[in-house]
Structure formats: structure tokens, C-alpha cells
Amino acid sequence: MRLAPYLALQTLIAIVFVLLLRQPQPEPPASLRLTAFDLRESGSERAVTLPHFTASRFAMHDPPVYTTRFSEPDDPRAWSVLLPRFTNGVEVAVNGVAILDSRRDPAANRPDRNTPEIAVIPASLLHKGDNVLSIRLFVWGPLTGYLDPVYLGPDEVLRPVYDKRIRRFITLPVVFSAWQAILAVILTIMWLMRRHERAYGVLAAAMAIGAVQAFLPTPMEPSAFSRLNATLIASAPIEGALFLTFAILFFEGTWPRYGWLIFAPGLLVVVVGLFGGQPLVRSMFVWVGVPTVGLCLSAMAIVVARAVLRRQDIASLMLGCAATIALTCWVSDILGVLQVIDNGRIFVSRLSYSALLVAIGAGLTWRFARALNEVDSFASNMVTLVREAEDKLKASFAREEQRARAAALALERTRLMRDLHDGLGGQLVSIVALSERDNAGAPIGEAARAALKDLRLVIDAMDDIGGDLMLALGSWRERATAQLRPHDMTLHWQTLTPQGLPVHPELRPWHVIQIVRLLDEALTNAIKHAGARRITVTIETLTDPAQGDYGCITIADDGNGFALAPDGAAAAGASSARGLRNMKSRAARCGATLELASDAGGTRVKLVLPRRFPDGDAAG
């Protein structure tokens, strides 16, 4: 929005509200209106016509008295006296007997409340002929006294008009003040949750001050809290400065260097209210506080207009329109006080704050809704990005899985080729060498059987045993029993724990081949060198409280035994030394530990399995 359309819109709003303010207030029939009165003021008496402004500004002990006469009504219905508007307080008497004193009504003591008053005339006070109606007008300044036309007639005719004015000038402001108090609580919570947004805290303080002002009565007599009441009621310039501060922080984002000066007039009024008398604080409020409110509203309108031109959003536009409404109402009240226009002393500045409340509430709600939309949009974008990243990760994972599968397959192929080369390949080379010799008695059959056994070992090791080494040991037990039978040797199998050995999910065929070949080597050494008759295989699961369970396989024979070196290896020159070195090498490659013990009672080979088998070759 450009400047010219914005100014045209604000001008249109001001014109509309001026026309609305010029609309007549609810009034009874004109036939019930009393306008001709005799006024006794400052020792003199004269005839006046209502509405009337008195010359008195401070008249509490010798107030102006308006007097008129009326005839006893022939209507049997109850009659009442209605005073639509007056400043500041009234006492109504019929034939010298008071029937109404507005000073007893806290709401009627506030000039900004526009409070009407009504009183039923007791039938016992009326008599035949003329009756005297007198109105004492109490003025406690600094404004001059004011009395609107008085209505006298049936209560059932005057009461609906009174109720309409009460709803318009009492009930509606109380509703808006309650809304203001609720909004102050909400803004305080928002500020406590988001301390970095100072605008919410400033606006909450302004709302709280306005809510407190709305429910305070004007103190009539000195008391413990009369000065505090008067000070709080006169704190409107501080409230206006806080509203201006909110606009600056909310739309500009930075606080001007000398911004604190806008609080100086309000603080001056507060100091005078706390330490001065009530007449002084009322005068300060009229001559200092009211102009300060107007300046704050004008400055706020300028700040908001700049925000509208810069930000182009609904919140700024609504707050700008509300500022125009409040400023228009303030100007109307000032012109009415100066008697430039006849507005019946109806003050609407306080009521116009409701427009600011509506605009602020709508603006904050709009901002909150926009933030929710941004959060939803951000969440939707994040879901899309996460889904795309998830698809990319799935594709990358599939590629990595294929690479890993290919690498594992290549590794297993290499290991299988190495096992076939080390085992079956060597046996086949021996068979070829023996077949080429001239010695026909060479043990070719024995070499062929060894090659066949090694081939079966490789094939069995490739089976999926699910990490349960006991399955592979079961197959080895059958082959070992068949191998020992031609040598008149027996195999005694012992399982000391019910579960045998722990299950290792990471167990691979390569590990199984190394363990089975290690056991074969131990069995072969016992057959060739020990001269034993019985071989015992013990399987058990041992428990370490610190590290958990681990398996242990022990092969013991009842043969002759042999000498051991200090490091636990076979003595130099022993025929079994090479086989023992191979066994230790195979154990190390699986992450296992090999322990060897031999004496005259036989040899014991103990294989302590790792708690977790390594992924690669753990030798060295």
C-alpha cells in the first residue's frame, strides 16, 4: 500500500467515526424533558436553560443548585427523575428531601464513564400543586461543572433509556476492560516464555495499567489509598507511552536513544499524585497527561503508518486503523472539553481503546496463525526433504550392501581357495609325487584318503550353522571316531555344561575351518606321537563375572607325553613341534588362546575361544 491510499483510508475512517460520534444518544420523549431551571451559584441566582456549563471548577462545599417546579402527576404510575449526563456529582431532592446522591455510586464519580443516574420519586413526597425539584451539582475540577437536560416522568418510560445508556457506557467498557485484563495475562505469559521479545512485556504492562484504571473509583474523601487511587486513575500518559513503546519495538525493532523521554510527563503526573493533593493531580492530568496521550497516539499513528508502507501486512494496517480511531475520539473529547463542539460531555477516548485492543488481538492472532502456517510449511518441507534423504540413504545403503556382499563373497572365495590350496592342494601334490615314484608301495591310498577328508572338511565348514559351533563339532566327532578306529583308540566325549558352547552370531566358515583343523592337528599328533589308547574331548562354557561367558575345548590323551620348553612349546627337535606351531597359529588367527600341558600321564591341549570372533585375521 502506498502513502496516498493509506492516508485516504485513514481520513475516511476518521470521517465515519466523527459521524458516528455525532449520532444522538438514547433519550426519553421530549415531552418529559425539563430544561428551564433557576441556578443559584456563588451567591447569585439566575435563570438558565439546560444543558448548562457552570463557571465553578472546584465547588464541593458551596455547589451550584438548579431548581425547577413541576405539578403532581395525575398518572398513578411511579415517577422517576433521569439525569442522562452530569459533571462531576449530583444530589437530587424533591420538596427538600434527597432521593439521589451520585457520590455513593463509584462508577458515577468518573467523568470518563458517562454514567447516567435515575431515582424513583416516592409518592409520599409529592403533594397537590407545585413540587420543587432541586439538583446540587458537585464539581471537583479541573473541568467546569456540566448538567444535561433532566427528564421527569413514568419510571417505565425512563427506565429503558437508562438501561440502554448503562449498557453502552458502563457494561461495554467493563467488558472491554475485562478483555484487556485477560489479554494482559496472555501477553505476560508470552513474554515470560519469549523474554527476547520485549514488545509483549511492554504491551502486557500497558494492558494491566488500563485494566486497573477501569475498575478504580474516584476517591472522594482522604483515605489510606486515596492518593494511590488518584495516581493510578491519572496514569493514562504512562499507558499511552507504553503503547507507543510497544509499537516502536514491534514494528521498528530498535529503541531510540532518547525514547525514555516519552515517559517523563507520565512520571511527573505520578509523582504529583503520590505527594500532592487530589486537586493538583487532577489539574496535572488535564493540562499534562491528556496532551501527552494525544502526542503518544499521534506518534503511534506515524510509527504504524511507516510499518504499513514497509511491511505491507494486515496486522500493521489494522493497528493503523485502530490508532486513527483512538486519535479521532481523543480529538473529539478535547474539543468537547474546550466547548468548541457540543458533544454533551460524552467522553469516548477510554472506550476507543477497545478498538486498539481489537486490532492488537487480531494482529497478534494473525501473526500467530501465520507462524503456525510457516511451521506447517516448514514441517511439510522437512518431511519432503527427509523422505528424499531417506530414499537417497536407502539407495546408498543398497549400493553399500551390494559392495559389502561382493567384498564378503570375494573374501570367502579367497579364503576357500586358500583352504583348498593349503589342504586339498597339498594332498593332491603328494599323490602326484607318490604316483611318479618307482616305489609302488608308496602310501598313495593314505594320501588320497587325507585329501578326501580335507575336502569334506571344507565342504562341511561352508554349511550355515547359525553361529552354533556345536553343530560343526558334531560332524568333527564322527570323523574323529572313524579316524581313531583303525588305531584301536577310543574317543570319550564330555559336555560339562548343558548348552555346550556359547552361540556366536559373528561366527564365519573361515573360523570353523581353523578350529576344526586345529582339532585335527591335535588328534593327529596324539595318534602319531603319543602312543595313547584313549582320547578325551571336553567341552564347556566358562563364566567371567567381568566380561561374560566364553567357550573352552580340551583334548587330552593318556599317552607318553613329551618335553615342553619354558614358553609352553614343544622342545627343540621334537617331531610334534611343527604341528604345535601350526595349532597356535590357527588359534591366534581366530582370536583364541591355546594352552598346552604334557607329562608322563599324557598330553592336554586346551583351546579357549574368544568372547567374540574377529571379523578378519587376528594373527599377530
Side-chain angles (χ1 to χ4, degrees):
M1 179 177 288
R2 298 184 179 276
L3 180 60
Y6 177 78
L7 293 178
L9 175 62
Q10 303 309 312
T11 302
L12 178 62
I13 292 174
I15 293 174
V16 169
F17 262 81
V18 168
L19 295 177
L20 290 176
L21 294 176
R22 299 296 296 174
Q23 294 298 313
Q25 301 297 331
E27 292 183 354
S31 60
L32 304 180
R33 182 187 305 169
L34 301 179
T35 59
F37 280 80
D38 294 327
L39 172 62
R40 187 175 69 252
E41 182 181 17
S42 302
S44 62
E45 187 172 346
R46 67 183 187 277
V48 296
T49 301
L50 301 185
H52 181 259
F53 292 91
T54 69
S56 303
R57 294 183 182 272
F58 297 94
M60 291 293 292
H61 302 290
D62 185 20
V65 180
Y66 294 83
T67 306
T68 190
R69 297 179 179 276
F70 66 96
S71 300
E72 180 186 13
D74 297 330
D75 197 328
R77 295 176 294 178
W79 277 46
S80 296
V81 177
L82 173 64
L83 284 75
R85 188 72 178 100
F86 52 86
T87 306
N88 296 108
V90 293
E91 181 186 81
V92 180
V94 175
N95 294 325
V97 179
I99 61 173
L100 170 67
D101 190 346
S102 68
R103 291 174 296 178
R104 300 174 182 175
D105 183 4
N109 297 333
R110 294 279 296 272
D112 58 342
R113 292 290 181 85
N114 309 313
T115 307
E117 288 288 348
I118 190 171
V120 178
I121 303 176
S124 59
L125 296 181
L126 300 176
H127 50 74
K128 298 294 183 179
D130 290 341
N131 294 271
V132 179
L133 173 67
S134 59
I135 302 174
R136 302 176 68 194
L137 185 65
F138 299 98
V139 185
W140 49 78
L143 301 179
T144 58
Y146 173 81
L147 182 62
D148 217 24
V150 178
Y151 291 87
L152 180 68
D155 184 77
E156 62 184 28
V157 177
L158 301 181
R159 185 70 60 174
V161 176
Y162 170 79
D163 292 338
K164 288 181 181 179
R165 288 198 171 224
I166 285 293
R167 285 194 295 269
R168 180 174 298 184
F169 296 117
I170 301 298
T171 305
L172 188 60
V174 169
V175 170
F176 282 131
S177 299
W179 182 16
Q180 192 170 357
I182 294 173
L183 190 58
V185 174
I186 295 175
L187 291 171
T188 301
I189 295 174
M190 293 175 64
W191 175 69
L192 290 176
M193 298 301 295
R194 300 176 63 85
R195 292 290 186 87
H196 61 282
E197 296 196 18
R198 297 175 296 171
Y200 290 124
V202 172
L203 185 58
M207 296 289 183
I209 292 177
V212 170
Q213 289 178 0
F215 294 101
L216 288 177
T218 299
M220 300 300 300
E221 301 294 337
S223 63
F225 300 101
S226 59
R227 289 188 177 182
L228 181 60
N229 277 15
T231 302
L232 291 174
I233 292 174
S235 60
I238 293 183
E239 182 184 7
L242 288 173
F243 270 114
L244 176 59
T245 303
F246 161 75
I248 294 174
L249 294 178
F250 189 77
F251 294 114
E252 301 290 339
T254 56
W255 183 247
R257 183 176 180 181
Y258 298 102
W260 59 270
L261 291 176
I262 64 176
F263 291 94
L267 294 176
L268 178 62
V269 173
V270 169
V271 171
V272 171
L274 292 176
F275 299 99
Q278 292 185 22
L280 181 59
V281 69
R282 289 166 183 160
S283 299
M284 287 291 295
F285 176 75
V286 171
W287 305 116
V288 177
V290 173
T292 300
V293 172
L295 290 176
C296 289
L297 288 174
S298 302
M300 183 176 179
I302 295 174
V303 171
V304 176
R306 292 179 55 186
V308 172
L309 300 177
R310 184 176 65 254
R311 300 172 59 155
Q312 303 287 326
D313 60 354
I314 299 298
S316 305
L317 181 60
M318 293 186 66
L319 192 57
C321 296
T324 299
I325 293 172
L327 190 58
T328 301
C329 294
W330 178 85
V331 171
S332 174
D333 289 352
I334 293 299
L335 294 179
V337 169
L338 298 177
Q339 301 181 24
V340 175
I341 61 174
D342 182 14
N343 62 354
R345 279 282 176 94
I346 300 295
F347 299 130
V348 292
S349 293
R350 170 57 61 182
L351 191 60
S352 69
Y353 271 179
S354 62
L356 280 175
L357 290 176
V358 171
I360 291 172
L364 293 179
T365 303
W366 178 83
R367 186 184 185 190
F368 179 71
R370 186 182 64 176
L372 287 181
N373 291 334
E374 291 177 354
V375 170
D376 292 340
S377 177
F378 177 76
S380 178
N381 293 335
M382 286 301 298
V383 169
T384 302
L385 294 176
V386 168
R387 187 178 294 115
E388 292 176 355
E390 188 176 292
D391 293 339
K392 292 180 180 179
L393 286 176
K394 286 181 179 179
S396 177
F397 179 76
R399 290 193 298 269
E400 291 298 326
E401 189 176 19
Q402 291 177 356
R403 292 194 188 101
R405 188 182 298 111
L409 184 60
L411 181 60
E412 291 299 327
R413 185 182 296 112
T414 301
R415 288 173 179 173
L416 180 59
M417 292 173 61
R418 184 175 60 193
D419 291 334
L420 291 175
H421 177 271
D422 294 344
L424 183 61
Q427 298 294 337
L428 293 176
V429 170
S430 298
I431 292 173
V432 172
L434 290 173
S435 65
E436 290 178 351
R437 290 180 183 176
D438 295 335
N439 186 5
I444 297 178
E446 182 180 348
R449 283 191 296 272
L452 180 60
K453 185 186 72 169
D454 199 87
L455 179 60
R456 288 176 177 173
L457 171 62
V458 174
I459 294 174
D460 291 343
M462 296 303 296
D463 290 339
D464 184 12
I465 59 176
D468 191 355
L469 189 58
M470 292 296 295
L471 297 178
L473 293 181
S475 299
W476 178 82
R477 177 182 180 183
E478 294 179 0
R479 293 195 303 272
T481 302
Q483 184 179 357
L484 292 176
R485 191 177 297 117
H487 301 282
D488 294 330
M489 298 174 65
T490 59
L491 180 65
H492 183 61
W493 191 273
Q494 292 183 337
T495 304
L496 301 183
T497 52
Q499 74 274 20
L501 296 175
V503 176
H504 294 274
E506 74 280 3
L507 189 65
R508 298 290 180 265
W510 179 76
H511 302 134
V512 177
I513 291 176
Q514 300 302 321
I515 294 173
V516 171
R517 283 184 171 168
L518 187 150
L519 299 178
D520 281 343
E521 191 75 29
L523 191 64
T524 301
N525 287 340
I527 294 173
K528 291 183 177 181
H529 308 293
R533 308 303 300 174
R534 177 187 177 94
I535 294 179
T536 303
V537 178
T538 305
I539 298 175
E540 60 181 329
T541 296
L542 303 178
T543 301
D544 185 349
Q547 299 183 0
D549 298 341
Y550 60 95
C552 179
I553 304 173
T554 304
I555 300 179
D557 62 61
D558 56 355
N560 301 325
F562 56 90
L564 292 174
D567 59 353
S575 58
S576 60
R578 180 179 179 184
L580 292 177
R581 286 196 298 271
N582 289 338
M583 291 166 60
K584 287 193 174 184
S585 175
R586 293 184 187 278
R589 293 172 68 181
C590 291
T593 303
L594 186 69
E595 299 177 3
L596 181 64
S598 183
D599 53 27
T603 301
R604 185 177 71 255
V605 178
K606 183 178 181 181
L607 179 64
V608 180
L609 300 177
R611 292 167 179 81
R612 177 180 176 81
F613 283 89
D615 293 334
D617 194 339

